[in-house]
Amino acid sequence: MDRDRDTRDPRIQVHTPTHMTTTHGYTGGSTGPTASQMIALVTLVPLSGILFVLAGITLLGSLIGLAIATPVFILFSPVIVPAALLIGLAVTGFLSSGAFGLTGLSALSRVVGYIRLVGQRMPEELDYAKRRMADAVAFTGQKTKDVGQTIESKARESGTTTASART
């Protein structure tokens, strides 16, 4: 009963071609390249050959140019090397000067922004400081008054005790 059931995955479909036969009567074999593959082959083989020839010509030209330029470089190297060094240093100087300038502008912009922010908050902070100072002065005045009264009362008590001690 279980053998009658098909256990294959239903998502997999197998198609067997019936039109592909060879001269030997074998079915299911390959018949060779298709027409589009032949067109691609006919187009790409000459194109790749031309590109290889151009690459060879370019390599040959580079080698000839190097062979001609090497003695010139050797003869003029006392001039070329310092000139290249001077140009390299000048470019480095200009780039670093620009970088330092941008850094300075950025720092200046940051300081100006901070000063503006502090300038906006300054009146509020000054009012708060004035109130705190007035509170501190009032507290100190009250404490001074209390201490003065304490001293006065102690002086009266001691004056009364010294007056009674004399009599």
Side-chain angles (χ1 to χ4, degrees), residues 9-139:
D9 191 358
R11 293 175 288 177
I12 299 175
Q13 298 177 358
V14 179
H15 297 284
T16 55
T18 57
H19 66 281
M20 294 176 35
T21 58
T22 61
T23 56
H24 300 293
Y26 174 74
T27 58
S30 175
T31 59
T34 62
S36 63
Q37 290 174 340
M38 285 301 292
I39 291 172
L41 185 68
V42 168
T43 305
L44 293 178
V45 167
L47 185 63
S48 62
I50 291 171
L51 290 175
F52 277 130
V53 168
L54 287 175
I57 290 172
T58 305
L59 177 64
L60 184 64
S62 297
L63 290 176
I64 290 171
L66 184 63
I68 292 172
T70 299
V72 174
F73 282 143
I74 291 173
L75 287 174
F76 292 112
S77 66
V79 175
I80 291 175
V81 171
L85 187 64
L86 179 68
I87 290 171
L89 287 174
V91 168
T92 303
F94 284 128
L95 290 177
S96 62
S97 170
F100 289 143
L102 284 175
T103 304
L105 282 175
S106 174
L108 187 63
S109 170
R110 185 105 173 156
V111 167
V112 167
Y114 178 74
I115 288 173
R116 283 184 184 166
L117 182 67
V118 167
Q120 289 173 355
R121 289 189 314 186
M122 189 63 75
E124 295 170 3
E125 291 179 3
L126 282 176
D127 288 342
Y128 177 72
K130 285 179 186 177
R131 278 185 272 137
R132 293 280 297 180
M133 194 61 114
D135 290 344
V137 167
F139 179 75

